Amino acid sequence: MCINGGPNSYDFDLSKIFFYLLLIMAIGTTFVITCTLMMIGFMAATQPQNLVTSETDVKTFGAVGDGITDDSLAVNQAWDVACSSTGQFKLSAGNFLVQPLSFSGPCKAPVVVVTVIGTLKAPPKNNWINNTDTWLNFQHINNLVITGPGRFDGQGQSGWWDSCKETKTCENNPTALGFNDCNGLKLKSVTSINSPRNHISINACNGSIITNITIIAPKESPNTDGIDIANTNGVHVIGGKIGTGDDCIAINGGSFNIIVNGLFCGPGHGISVGSLGRNGATDIVSNVTVASTIFSDTQNGVRIKTVPQPVVKISGVTFMDINGTSSTPEAIDIKCSRNPRSCVGITLERINIQPINSLIKVASTCQNTQARILGLVFPPVVCTQPNFIVMPLDYDYDNSTAQEIATA
Ligand SMILES: *[C@@H]1O[C@H](CO)[C@@H](O)[C@H](O)[C@H]1NC(C)=O
Ligand SMILES: *[C@@H]1O[C@H](CO)[C@@H](O)[C@H](O)[C@H]1NC(C)=O
Ligand SMILES: *[C@@H]1O[C@H](CO)[C@@H](O)[C@H](O)[C@H]1NC(C)=O
Ligand SMILES: *[C@@H]1O[C@H](CO)[C@@H](O)[C@H](O)[C@H]1NC(C)=O
Ligand SMILES: *[C@@H]1O[C@H](CO)[C@@H](O)[C@H](O)[C@H]1NC(C)=O
Ligand SMILES: *[C@@H]1O[C@H](CO)[C@@H](O)[C@H](O)[C@H]1NC(C)=O
């Protein structure tokens, strides 16, 4: 087709030039697009906060982790990204000082995994900028998994404990870790130390599993319960060690189906069901089993407590296979209110709590209920019968459990 000369050669040459121009433009455009894509890729790689990676690490958001710099902003931003993307949140090695933070859901991913390698540290009391009742509050998150081996350090020794000893109330001190309104919470191999008040609060949650947790505070620290549970259905505590000078686990009103298995508890108060009754008729607890647990240097290893007047109901509480030592005479302490229906279905099975030293004599208290005693229980338990005052039946009453006890 390429013929030189002739009248048509001019036209032919023009179309040829046009063709090459088009070719050059096409190559150029491709080059520019390729370069732009490469640059975007490069920028994304060097600025990970713009990129949703599989795991969101607080360090890539500028968290310093030297224990001095305030890393609140970086941690908060990293959480927002993790929660709205893959749900994989990582606190790498380091000491991350953070102000009170709220980790709120719902998150996009069906499972949210927080991997704690380093330490999250609260500021000392005088440097708190928020007046919140919880330092780190996890709320409205489904299937939140927090795994160790890292730790949460509440810095309770930085003035919180002193102030609550002075004012004789710890009401104004914050909880370290709060879990509210959640389903399928899992805490695994994490450590919480020196909370200003109780270490962990679980409130309004369904189906929580807490495995191999470590909670530590000095024996003298005031009001530093390990795990407080309220308005919650289903908590399974498996293994772990809690020694805070206060209740290892306190099971409060509105809690059902709580199982503690294989915990090491102490020094402290032991495991408490109650104090119930402070909120009136709403305080109901049922299906609590504490099994294969060791109490070491506890004040009341096994405790059930309802305050005398309001209508409260505890049903189906079993303490079984428990060994330990008590630092006070009250090794087993069960105080129910005079309403005969306040505590039903209490079972004590194979319990051996000895005095911590020869200066103490241990005893059991069991008031206003009928406990079923199985196997060897030491100190021996003799319950006083509830006096059959007639109370209005303004709540459900599980008659079958009572019948079972009556015939036991
Ligand atoms: C604490 O205060 C800061 C600054 O006002 C705020 O960004 C943060 O959300 C607050 N934290 C909580 C838990 O309220
Ligand atoms: C827990 O389960 C109860 C009963 O199914 C339900 O009413 C409640 O909304 C659940 N809680 C959460 C946080 O979803
Ligand atoms: C339990 O947690 C500790 C860290 O507190 C860890 O060193 C240990 O490996 C964990 N054990 C298991 C069986 O996961
Ligand atoms: C207590 O446990 C029993 C047996 O597992 C179960 O049938 C019952 O529904 C539980 N009670 C509550 C209030 O969840
Ligand atoms: C309690 O002591 C008995 C007798 O020594 C032992 O068989 C049992 O395993 C111990 N239980 C726990 C939870 O340590
Ligand atoms: C409990 O059951 C017994 C025998 O079945 C019955 O006589 C009694 O009235 C019942 N009590 C209540 C409070 O339902």
Side-chain angles (χ1 to χ4, degrees):
M1 292 290 286
C2 186
I3 305 159
N4 288 331
N8 293 332
S9 66
Y10 180 71
D11 283 340
F12 179 75
D13 280 344
L14 246 189
S15 59
K16 201 177 170 188
I17 288 165
F18 189 57
F19 172 75
Y20 281 119
L21 259 175
L22 268 180
L23 195 69
I24 287 164
M25 275 170 70
I27 291 169
T29 309
T30 311
F31 183 73
V32 167
I33 289 171
T34 309
C35 283
T36 310
L37 285 174
M38 278 172 70
M39 273 172 70
I40 289 170
F42 180 71
M43 278 163 67
T46 52
Q47 293 182 312
Q49 59 265 50
N50 294 329
L51 182 78
V52 174
T53 55
S54 63
E55 190 171 59
T56 311
D57 187 331
V58 294
K59 278 200 167 159
T60 63
F61 284 74
V64 178
D66 62 1
I68 301 160
T69 310
D70 186 337
D71 285 327
S72 309
L73 195 63
V75 171
N76 213 8
Q77 285 177 346
W79 168 259
D80 286 345
V81 169
C83 181
S84 59
S85 62
T86 63
Q88 306 282 314
F89 181 74
K90 185 177 179 184
L91 280 149
S92 37
N95 243 310
F96 303 94
L97 186 76
V98 294
Q99 290 287 339
L101 291 176
S102 184
F103 299 88
S104 287
C107 294
K108 194 178 167 198
V111 177
V112 177
V113 180
V114 174
T115 307
V116 188
I117 307 294
T119 298
L120 265 191
K121 200 170 165 183
K125 181 174 185 291
N126 290 340
N127 294 352
W128 275 54
I129 60 170
N130 304 53
N131 216 357
T132 56
D133 61 7
T134 306
W135 172 39
L136 304 174
N137 196 26
F138 296 84
Q139 56 189 353
H140 323 303
I141 308 168
N142 285 339
N143 303 313
L144 171 66
V145 182
I146 303 187
T147 65
R151 60 167 60 186
F152 299 93
D153 179 356
Q155 299 240 59
Q157 76 284 7
S158 68
W160 294 111
W161 298 338
D162 288 345
S163 83
C164 97
K165 279 176 188 161
E166 280 159 21
T167 59
K168 303 252 188 296
T169 169
C170 301
E171 293 293 310
N172 296 325
N173 283 7
T175 297
L177 305 171
F179 300 95
N180 291 290
D181 185 29
C182 62
N183 291 296
L185 170 69
K186 288 195 176 73
L187 302 179
K188 194 178 171 205
S189 302
V190 286
T191 297
S192 174
I193 64 165
N194 298 339
S195 175
R197 197 176 171 186
N198 61 319
H199 287 74
I200 293 176
S201 271
I202 299 179
N203 189 55
C205 289
N206 292 317
S208 308
I209 302 177
I210 302 176
T211 337
N212 187 37
I213 201 159
T214 305
I215 303 179
I216 305 169
K219 199 176 164 180
E220 331 63 64
S221 61
N223 241 17
T224 50
D225 285 357
I227 304 172
D228 287 355
I229 299 166
N231 307 311
T232 280
N233 189 357
V235 177
H236 199 163
V237 178
I238 307 161
K241 181 182 186 309
I242 304 178
T244 64
D246 211 315
D247 289 339
C248 292
I249 298 178
I251 298 157
N252 297 306
S255 300
F256 309 95
N257 303 312
I258 312 296
I259 302 172
V260 177
N261 202 319
L263 181 72
F264 185 97
C265 164
H269 291 177
I271 294 181
S272 302
V273 179
S275 304
L276 293 176
R278 284 177 298 198
N279 302 320
T282 56
D283 276 351
I284 299 174
V285 169
S286 66
N287 284 1
V288 175
T289 301
V290 179
S292 303
T293 284
I294 294 172
F295 289 111
S296 166
D297 189 6
T298 54
Q299 289 177 32
N300 337 80
V302 169
R303 179 159 64 163
I304 296 176
K305 196 176 174 200
T306 66
V307 305
Q309 295 316 317
V311 176
V312 294
K313 185 186 169 192
I314 292 178
S315 64
V317 177
T318 300
F319 285 90
M320 61 187 293
D321 295 313
I322 288 165
N323 297 332
T325 55
S326 180
S327 57
T328 71
E330 292 90 32
I332 296 176
D333 190 23
I334 297 170
K335 291 196 181 86
C336 297
S337 54
R338 287 163 62 210
N339 175 357
R341 295 180 289 269
S342 75
C343 299
V344 296
I346 312 295
T347 302
L348 304 172
E349 184 170 358
R350 292 186 298 273
I351 298 178
N352 184 8
I353 302 177
Q354 297 289 334
I356 195 162
N357 62 47
S358 57
L359 300 175
I360 297 168
K361 277 195 161 49
V362 290
S364 294
T365 301
C366 181
Q367 294 173 354
N368 301 323
T369 189
Q370 280 176 301
R372 180 162 48 170
I373 313 295
L374 299 172
L376 175 74
V377 173
F378 185 87
V381 178
V382 177
C383 298
T384 66
Q385 299 300 308
N387 44 4
F388 282 81
I389 47 169
V390 179
M391 297 286 282
L393 257 182
D394 56 355
Y395 58 91
D396 285 344
Y397 169 52
D398 182 358
N399 202 11
S400 59
T401 324
Q403 292 298 314
E404 191 186 337
I405 293 161
T407 55

